[in-house]
């Protein structure tokens, strides 16, 4: 059988010692590069008509893959496939073969079989490629094989092999956060942090239910002052089903990028694109909700554009969105936007307890006023620090000084921010992984304990809040299914903002933010345990969801996945 070929855009960026966020869009007979990872030569190997499966092969190269025996953590590539039965009009999630470690039909090149493994989770929405034991270094794997179970996707062999059935593979670089106890709260006396018996931090020793207690008691909850938040000292139970960070999970190494967002957006049917259009007018509404958007042009360094914004023309609606800076974190996204990406990619939101686990590490003592990189100090950049100073940013730009966080409202005058640059004089996020260098440390790189980058600054981290009964009682940490509803909304009923009537995650209630953003004026919000915005979602605050200059924060997207 001849392999169908389709063409498409791909992004070329360069990486640093700690590899940048991975995005790969792999099309038949094409090659895609992103952040020093290449996936190429996707090809059909065989068809098993009796089992209703197809085996595909591809090549993969990656810089700086690692497995650290000291922390029990490792990086991994989450790979998932979409197929289009109608020549690219609509895209569906592919069910892969498995589950388990190295399931039948999967293959790793012989010379790497003792170093790497393929792990297919029980829902079979994709697979992880990861090191099976301690090691570091760049890799080049030729002839990796995986299985598409087209029968499970209700595709006949004829349909699966049809000339207009197309395929795309996507990948996201993740970090495995191992099981184990940890501290939540830093003992600083900050009036919003988690406290135990006064100012001591919580100690999370398992996933059993936790009863938050009265003032001065164990697992004491302190309100942030958000509308309808759990009151300070209220006797509220965190159910056993609410993920507390003790169990192992995977977490994106970097914030969701413009390149990843555009690739997702361009797989949506036209009817759904208007709901996920972040280039819409700042005054955009959906019923009684204020949605917002960045509008046209480059705003706060967001370079995404889409010809179909505000149009009813089928040709314009079908036109692809584009980005000029694919390695830059995507801003002007709402929680429903990020939830849609999570659903589509087979990922899930993380809780604010899981955020603290990823930042602080297993059984590491807390430090008063601690930042995610393990110290109580932060170094902010100067406006002219982007290098090259007088040229466009191309995904390989660096910073000239010892900064390890993008915060404090830096109005950039270098790189794209220079006079005459595409984002002259604008504040905004810098590319993922920019603080990491070949000689860097955890502190100088601004890295969390396990290697997750930019957990503080750049864009705020969306988390499931402990401070709302809606999220506490509903969220169970289910992974995304890979499929959205007709209007492009996530449909996981336990996720924050789920509306049963609309079968959609179309609200922000239950979500919160950690880590601060590039414009935060209060340096405390960058600290690991600071909860200033952990319950202040836009809908509850009557703010525009994507960004509101009066009361909003610039959120990004960082998502997780269960490790089972």
């Amino acid at each position: 059988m001849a392999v169908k070929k389709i063409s498409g855009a791909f992004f070329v960026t360069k990486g640093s010692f700690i590899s940048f966020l991975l995005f790969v869009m792999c099309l038949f007979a094409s090659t895609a590069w992103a952040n020093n990872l290449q996936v190429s030569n996707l090809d059909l190997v065989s068809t098993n008509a009796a089992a209703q499966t197809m085996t595909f092969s591809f090549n993969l190269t990656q810089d700086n893959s690692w497995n650290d025996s000291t922390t029990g953590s490792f990086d991994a590539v989450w790979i998932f496939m979409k197929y289009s039965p109608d020549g690219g009009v609509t895209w569906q999630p592919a069910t892969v073969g498995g589950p388990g470690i190295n399931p039948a039909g999967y293959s790793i090149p012989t010379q790497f079989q003792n170093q790497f493994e393929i792990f297919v989770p029980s829902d079979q929405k994709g697979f992880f490629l990861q090191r099976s034991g301690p090691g570091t270094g760049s890799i080049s794997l030729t002839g990796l094989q995986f299985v598409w179970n087209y029968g499970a996707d209700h595709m006949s062999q004829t349909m699966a092999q049809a000339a207009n059935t197309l395929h795309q593979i996507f990948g996201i670089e993740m970090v495995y956060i191992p099981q184990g106890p940890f501290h939540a709260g830093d003992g600083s006396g900050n009036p919003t942090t988690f406290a135990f018996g006064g100012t001591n931090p919580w100690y999370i020793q398992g996933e059993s239910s936790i009863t938050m207690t009265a003032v001065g008691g164990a697992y004491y909850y302190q309100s942030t002052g958000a509308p309808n938040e759990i009151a300070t000292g209220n006797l509220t139970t965190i159910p056993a089903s609410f993920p507390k960070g003790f169990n192992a999970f995977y977490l994106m190494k970097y914030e969701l990028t413009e390149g990843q967002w555009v690739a997702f957006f361009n797989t949506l049917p036209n009817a759904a694109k208007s709901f996920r259009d972040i280039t819409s007018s700042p005054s955009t509404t959906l019923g009684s909700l204020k949605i917002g958007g960045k509008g046209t042009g480059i705003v706060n360094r967001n370079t995404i554009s889409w010809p179909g914004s505000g149009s009813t023309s089928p040709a314009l609606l079908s036109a692809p969105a584009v980005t000029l800076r694919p390695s830059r974190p995507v801003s002007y996204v709402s929680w429903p936007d990020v939830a849609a990406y999570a659903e589509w990619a087979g990922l899930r939101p993380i809780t604010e307890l899981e955020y603290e686990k990823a930042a602080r590490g297993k059984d590491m003592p807390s430090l008063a006023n601690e930042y995610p990189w393990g110290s109580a100090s932060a170094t902010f950049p100067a406006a002219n620090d982007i290098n090259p100073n007088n040229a466009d940013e191309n995904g390989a730009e660096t910073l000239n000084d010892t900064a390890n966080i993008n915060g404090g409202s830096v109005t950039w005058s270098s790189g794209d921010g220079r006079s005459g640059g595409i984002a002259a004089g604008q504040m905004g996020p810098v590319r993922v992984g920019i603080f990491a260098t070949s000689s860097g440390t955890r502190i100088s790189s601004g890295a969390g304990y396990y290697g997750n980058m930019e957990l503080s600054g750049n864009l705020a981290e969306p988390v499931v809040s402990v401070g709302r009964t809606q999220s506490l009682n509903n969220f169970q940490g289910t992974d995304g299914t890979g499929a959205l509803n007709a209007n492009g909304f996530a449909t996981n009923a336990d996720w924050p903002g789920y509306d049963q009537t609309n079968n959609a995650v179309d609200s922000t209630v239950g979500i919160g933010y950690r880590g601060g953003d590039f414009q935060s004026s209060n340096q405390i919000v960058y600290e690991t345990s600071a909860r200033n915005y952990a319950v202040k979602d836009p809908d509850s605050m009557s703010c525009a969801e994507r960004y509101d200059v009066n009361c909003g924060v610039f959120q990004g997207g960082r998502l997780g996945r269960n490790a089972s």
Side-chain angles (χ1 to χ4, degrees):
M1 186 192 88
V3 175
K4 279 70 63 183
K5 300 178 182 179
I6 57 177
S7 60
F10 59 87
F11 306 118
V12 181
T13 59
K14 296 182 179 179
S16 68
F17 181 71
I18 300 179
S19 303
F20 304 163
L21 183 80
L22 160 70
F23 158 70
V24 176
M25 185 173 86
C26 179
L27 307 177
F28 283 130
S30 69
T31 301
W33 291 267
N35 305 318
N36 285 353
L37 184 142
Q38 298 181 30
V39 175
S40 60
N41 297 329
L42 180 65
D43 202 359
L44 177 66
V45 176
S46 62
T47 300
N48 186 328
Q52 294 185 298
T53 62
M54 287 180 169
T55 300
F56 293 92
S57 68
F58 65 99
N59 303 336
L60 181 148
T61 62
Q62 182 188 12
D63 286 352
N64 308 312
S65 166
W66 54 268
N67 180 311
D68 184 359
S69 59
T70 302
T71 63
S73 186
F74 48 83
D75 68 352
V77 181
W78 171 243
I79 299 171
F80 56 100
M81 188 170 83
K82 303 290 182 181
Y83 69 93
S84 173
D86 50 20
V89 177
T90 61
W91 292 90
Q92 311 298 330
T95 301
V96 299
I101 301 293
N102 300 327
Y106 288 74
S107 177
I108 295 173
T110 303
Q111 65 270 36
F112 292 101
Q113 287 179 358
N114 293 327
Q115 302 176 50
F116 288 84
E117 63 187 15
I118 291 173
F119 165 49
V120 181
S122 58
D123 62 5
Q124 298 174 237
K125 299 303 179 185
F127 58 93
F128 289 100
L129 176 69
Q130 57 197 30
R131 285 185 179 267
S132 55
T136 60
S138 300
I139 58 172
S140 178
L141 284 71
T142 300
L144 284 161
Q145 294 188 5
F146 71 97
V147 174
W148 175 33
N149 189 339
Y150 64 80
D153 293 328
H154 308 290
M155 292 279 285
S156 67
Q157 181 181 356
T158 300
M159 294 170 61
Q161 294 179 331
N164 64 339
T165 297
L166 309 177
H167 305 78
Q168 297 185 59
I169 288 182
F170 301 84
I172 302 171
E173 190 169 2
M174 310 286 285
V175 173
Y176 176 80
I177 312 297
Q179 184 184 65
F182 68 100
H183 293 94
D186 62 7
S188 65
N190 182 321
T192 67
T193 59
F194 297 122
F196 190 102
T199 60
N200 291 325
W202 289 9
Y203 187 54
I204 307 299
Q205 304 179 66
E207 292 290 347
S208 299
S209 63
I210 294 174
T211 299
M212 295 186 285
T213 60
V215 176
Y219 297 104
Y220 169 46
Y221 183 81
Q222 304 183 91
S223 172
T224 68
N228 302 313
E229 181 182 1
I230 294 171
T232 295
N234 187 281
L235 301 181
T236 303
T237 297
I238 304 175
S241 57
F242 186 88
K244 299 167 192 66
F246 177 84
N247 284 345
F249 62 99
Y250 290 87
L251 181 63
M252 288 171 64
K253 187 182 290 186
Y254 302 99
E255 294 170 306
L256 182 66
T257 65
E258 291 190 12
Q260 289 178 303
W261 178 260
V262 164
F264 153 70
F265 183 86
N266 290 338
T267 68
L268 298 177
N270 289 350
K273 287 181 177 178
S274 62
F275 293 96
R276 301 280 74 84
D277 176 22
I278 66 173
T279 69
S280 61
S281 166
S283 61
T284 300
T285 60
L286 178 61
S288 62
L289 298 177
K290 302 175 183 178
I291 305 301
K294 79 177 183 73
T296 59
I298 296 172
V299 183
N300 289 112
R301 292 170 58 85
N302 183 307
T303 71
I304 291 176
S305 61
W306 179 47
S309 185
S311 176
T312 58
S313 164
L316 292 178
L317 292 172
S318 298
V322 297
T323 170
L324 301 177
R325 300 293 182 262
S327 294
R328 186 170 294 169
V330 62
S331 56
Y332 286 96
V333 285
S334 67
W335 164 240
D337 292 330
V338 174
Y341 184 90
E343 183 85 271
W344 174 85
L347 302 177
R348 68 164 175 88
I350 64 167
T351 69
E352 52 176 320
L353 292 172
E354 290 177 310
Y355 169 85
E356 290 210 31
K357 168 73 169 291
R360 183 170 289 117
K362 181 176 68 175
D363 244 349
M364 297 300 293
S366 59
L367 173 70
N369 306 114
E370 177 184 16
Y371 293 96
W373 42 89
S375 77
S377 62
T379 305
F380 295 87
N384 64 347
D385 275 348
I386 296 176
N387 179 45
N389 188 282
N390 293 308
D392 289 346
E393 297 169 38
N394 63 1
E397 63 273 10
T398 60
L399 292 179
N400 288 326
D401 64 9
T402 58
N404 61 359
I405 181 174
N406 176 25
S409 301
V410 177
T411 301
W412 296 103
S413 61
S414 48
D416 288 344
R418 72 191 186 281
S419 177
I422 64 170
Q426 293 184 11
M427 295 186 294
V430 292
R431 71 156 173 84
V432 294
I434 197 169
F435 303 106
T437 65
S438 59
S439 59
T441 65
R442 176 186 170 191
I443 291 177
S444 67
S445 299
Y449 184 78
Y450 297 106
N452 303 89
M453 300 297 297
E454 288 92 50
L455 286 167
S456 184
N458 236 11
L459 296 172
E461 307 279 331
V463 292
V464 183
S465 179
V466 171
R468 288 205 185 277
T469 56
Q470 297 97 322
S471 50
L472 283 181
N473 294 334
N474 294 331
F475 186 60
Q476 299 181 26
T478 61
D479 291 315
T481 64
L484 304 172
N485 72 12
N487 290 328
F489 286 89
T491 61
N492 280 49
D494 65 308
W495 289 7
Y498 177 76
D499 183 333
Q500 185 175 7
T501 301
N502 297 329
N503 186 30
V505 177
D506 58 9
S507 167
T508 67
V509 176
I511 207 72
Y513 307 103
R514 289 291 201 104
D517 61 22
F518 61 82
Q519 64 163 6
S520 299
S521 58
N522 181 0
Q523 189 167 333
I524 290 176
V525 303
Y526 298 119
E527 296 173 6
T528 298
S529 296
R531 302 186 61 253
N532 301 56
Y533 293 96
V535 199
K536 296 179 180 178
D537 70 277
D539 289 345
S540 296
M541 304 294 290
S542 299
C543 299
E545 292 180 350
R546 289 190 173 122
Y547 175 69
D548 192 316
V549 67
N550 297 310
C551 52
V553 298
F554 276 102
Q555 76 156 318
R558 191 192 304 264
L559 301 158
R561 198 172 213 283
N562 292 310
S564 59

